[in-house]
Amino acid sequence: MFLDERIVTLFKRNAHHTLTYWSVFFSFGLCIAFLGPTILDLQCQTNSTLSQITWVFFAQQFCLLIGSSVGGIFKRTLLTALAALFFSALVISVIFAIIPLCNNVLVLAIAMAVSGLAMGLIDTIANIQLVTIYQKDSAVFLQALHFFIGFGALVSPLIADPFLSETGCGNHTGNETEVIHHFRSMLRNSPIVEHSIPLSNLSHGVEKEESSVHYAFWIMALINLPVPIAVLYLMYREQLIPCCPNGTPRLLDKDELAMESQQGAEGPAVEQIEHEAGVTGHGSIFSCCQNDNLRGLPLSFFMIHILGGMVLFMTDGIVGAYAGFVYTYAVAPPMSLPHKTAGYLASIFWAAITAGRLLSIPLSYRFHPVKLLIFNLAGAIVSVLLLLIFYTSSIFLFVGTCLCGLFLSSIFPCMLAYTEDILDYQGCAISVLVTSAGMGEMVMQVLVGSIIQTEGSYSFLLCGMIIACIGFILFIGLLLFHRMHRNYLTGTSKKSAMVEEPATEQNGEVKTEQIDNEENIQESPN
């Protein structure tokens, strides 16, 4: 078996929580990739230009970043965490239901921003809750969690495709149709793109096609609706709903009772260690920065947060940029693939990410996260390098796209598990890493898109190579600061042991003297 009995027992004990968080992330994947294919239909719905409608998606991505930054605030109790997940999932369904009614680009931008804020809260809270539940065994379950993002992102274009209009705002031919297919394929998996080609001048003198994209958004709202219901049912099971009467608590089996007893015995010691360390646990970035007790922590503690976030800034930036611009690279010289053939590249990329995360579930149990990180980062660099070498081969473009997706797929969950293990599940690692990854995806798409416009399509792979190398160098720095932090913890534990040893000897001498006095009293005549 890939997993031992202890991991299976942990999953069975927390199956309801785990399955709920996984379903939330499947919904998250549907939402993050669903909007791209519908961008041209939304442009027609709001009577806006393509440059204006892409800023609507920028508003969603920016608010997703804000939601990821503040999501750690709700982790303080299980009630606040589940309540935030419930309202966020419910808001997403409501927003997708009212998007077809938004006939103004500003109203649509506000709706997208609210949905982005909700998705950002889901992103941070679900990661934190899984790490809190499984602690040092969280790597396997984090890989599965992020598999559901890729699976949702893979499925969502299939839902939208039957309802998309073939000609945008009108029936166009020739180059006009190629422009529409170009942007639709490029934006299918990219929530933000910085292109500014107005299409309003293409709609003069043609008959407007009736769009049915509103059905796609309503289907999305229905698909997402079971998620808040599942979270609400979990709150009911945990007796966290004030208006519902408390049911009879379930009996603990022998293993759970033993674990609860052990945790109860170790509880005061753990609380004392955390208090002495001056770390409040997972929280938002802002609450971490305001913590006065951080002053006594070593430099390595902060550098682990910073370097881990920078690595994900680079790697998730590559994911966003590659999914958004691989179509642009494929249809331009020297590759010059047919538009229909190039349209499959983004789907293949997401399919490889999904398969890679599924494959990483058993691997994360067999290997330490740091080994998987080294392998994946090196593999990503080699893949982009081979794409640069064989830049005229259309066959290797598909092979390299698949390899890039496989190697990039598990970097994010492995980095979460690795940094949390280094910091002993204290500090603000998850909030920092999630925020950095979202910021990297947003910034790199804008940066790479502008470079492609000015320098040409070949700069696409060159940018990917440079970003991947910078990410690997930052990871080497993270390994060095990990060693420094480990030496710091070892020195601190030795000092504590040296301080406790004389006190123990003194207590032993006092006890010996008390025993001798009692024996002398018993031996003395009455």
Side-chain angles (χ1 to χ4, degrees):
M1 294 179 63
F2 287 110
L3 303 177
D4 63 12
E5 187 177 352
R6 182 177 60 85
I7 298 294
V8 175
T9 303
L10 281 174
F11 174 72
K12 289 180 179 179
R13 185 180 300 126
N14 302 285
H16 194 179
H17 285 263
T18 305
L19 292 175
T20 301
Y21 300 141
W22 286 353
S23 66
V24 169
F25 256 47
F26 174 75
S27 173
F28 181 91
L30 286 173
C31 295
I32 202 66
F34 187 85
L35 299 174
T38 63
I39 186 171
L40 295 177
D41 295 87
L42 291 176
Q43 176 198 345
C44 299
Q45 175 182 309
T46 57
N47 294 320
S48 59
T49 63
L50 189 61
S51 60
Q52 291 173 335
I53 203 70
T54 51
W55 281 107
V56 171
F57 294 96
F58 177 83
Q60 186 217 23
Q61 192 75 4
F62 182 73
C63 287
L64 192 152
L65 178 62
I66 295 176
S68 300
S69 303
V70 302
I73 297 174
F74 298 96
K75 65 90 198 178
R76 299 183 186 278
T77 64
L78 183 60
L79 174 61
T80 57
L82 292 180
L85 286 179
F86 168 72
F87 285 109
S88 297
L90 185 62
V91 162
I92 289 174
S93 287
V94 173
I95 291 297
F96 275 93
I98 67 174
I99 281 177
L101 306 178
C102 299
N103 295 321
N104 182 274
V105 69
L106 180 59
V107 176
L108 183 61
I110 295 173
M112 294 295 188
V114 174
S115 66
L117 184 65
M119 287 189 286
L121 293 176
I122 289 174
D123 194 9
T124 299
I125 293 173
N127 279 291
I128 289 178
Q129 290 302 111
L130 271 186
V131 171
T132 302
I133 291 173
Y134 293 104
Q135 296 284 303
K136 292 185 179 298
D137 298 306
S138 60
V140 176
F141 302 97
L142 285 174
Q143 295 285 359
L145 180 72
H146 289 270
F147 159 77
F148 281 96
I149 292 183
F151 185 55
L154 177 64
V155 170
S156 58
L158 302 178
I159 300 173
D161 191 69
F163 303 99
L164 299 177
S165 59
E166 292 296 329
T167 57
C169 298
N171 298 315
H172 312 302
T173 58
N175 293 333
E176 299 169 358
T177 304
E178 289 184 0
V179 170
I180 290 174
H181 284 296
H182 164 74
F183 279 104
R184 173 166 294 159
S185 300
M186 183 184 64
L187 296 169
R188 183 173 296 273
N189 296 288
S190 177
I192 168 178
V193 183
E194 290 295 316
H195 286 277
S196 57
I197 299 180
L199 296 180
S200 58
N201 60 327
L202 300 179
S203 59
H204 296 293
V206 293
E207 182 181 356
K208 185 176 180 179
E209 180 185 355
E210 186 70 22
S211 175
S212 59
V213 72
H214 53 279
Y215 293 115
F217 284 102
W218 290 339
I219 291 174
M220 180 62 199
L222 290 176
I223 291 176
N224 189 70
L225 193 58
V227 176
I229 296 175
V231 178
L232 188 64
Y233 180 64
L234 178 59
M235 295 175 67
Y236 173 77
R237 283 282 305 272
E238 295 294 330
Q239 304 175 6
L240 298 176
I241 303 178
C243 61
C244 296
N246 292 333
T248 304
R250 66 185 180 90
L251 297 177
L252 296 176
D253 56 29
K254 292 186 294 183
D255 294 336
E256 291 178 298
L257 187 61
M259 181 173 291
E260 293 288 337
S261 304
Q262 182 179 3
Q263 290 178 350
E266 295 176 353
V270 173
E271 291 178 359
Q272 182 179 1
I273 292 172
E274 291 182 356
H275 177 73
E276 292 175 356
V279 181
T280 58
H282 302 290
S284 69
I285 293 180
F286 308 106
S287 63
C288 292
C289 296
Q290 294 174 358
N291 189 0
D292 294 334
N293 295 324
L294 293 178
R295 296 175 182 175
L297 294 173
L299 176 64
S300 57
F301 179 86
F302 300 99
M303 292 304 299
I304 288 171
H305 284 82
I306 294 173
L307 291 175
M310 290 301 297
V311 172
L312 290 185
F313 182 92
M314 299 297 171
T315 55
D316 270 52
I318 295 175
V319 172
Y322 200 95
F325 296 104
V326 65
Y327 178 90
T328 306
Y329 170 77
V331 298
M335 195 65 62
S336 300
L337 291 179
H339 290 265
K340 186 176 181 180
T341 304
Y344 292 114
L345 285 168
S347 298
I348 290 175
F349 182 68
W350 280 110
I353 287 179
T354 305
R357 286 173 175 170
L358 181 63
L359 181 63
S360 298
I361 295 174
L363 291 178
S364 61
Y365 173 72
R366 295 292 180 183
F367 301 98
H368 194 271
V370 67
K371 295 181 179 180
L372 294 177
L373 283 169
I374 294 174
F375 178 76
N376 288 329
L377 287 170
I381 293 175
V382 172
S383 299
V384 180
L385 179 61
L386 291 176
L387 284 170
L388 278 170
I389 295 174
F390 302 103
Y391 68 96
T392 59
S393 173
S394 59
I395 296 177
F396 193 81
L397 178 60
F398 284 86
V399 176
T401 298
C402 186
L403 290 176
C404 281
L406 287 173
F407 286 118
L408 292 170
S409 60
S410 62
I411 291 179
F412 185 88
C414 283
M415 183 61 72
L416 284 182
Y418 176 54
T419 52
E420 287 291 342
D421 190 29
I422 294 174
L423 301 173
D424 198 19
Y425 303 91
Q426 300 173 5
C428 308
I430 288 183
S431 295
V432 173
L433 296 182
V434 171
T435 303
S436 300
M439 187 180 299
E441 187 172 350
M442 181 178 65
V443 171
M444 288 302 175
Q445 284 181 335
V446 176
L447 180 62
V448 173
S450 62
I451 292 176
I452 291 176
Q453 286 183 346
T454 56
E455 303 297 332
S457 62
Y458 187 78
S459 60
F460 166 69
L461 294 178
L462 192 59
C463 288
M465 185 67 185
I466 294 173
I467 296 171
C469 290
I470 293 175
F472 190 81
I473 293 172
L474 292 171
F475 180 70
I476 298 299
L478 177 61
L479 294 179
L480 296 177
F481 279 100
H482 176 201
R483 182 181 293 254
M484 291 174 57
H485 192 69
R486 185 171 54 193
N487 294 337
Y488 167 80
L489 294 177
T490 303
T492 304
S493 61
K494 288 182 178 180
K495 290 180 181 179
S496 300
M498 293 175 62
V499 171
E500 292 176 359
E501 186 175 353
T504 303
E505 292 178 355
Q506 185 176 1
N507 293 334
E509 292 176 357
V510 171
K511 290 181 180 179
T512 303
E513 291 178 359
Q514 291 177 352
I515 294 173
D516 292 340
N517 292 335
E518 291 176 359
E519 291 177 353
N520 292 334
I521 292 173
Q522 291 177 359
E523 292 176 357
S524 63
N526 294 331

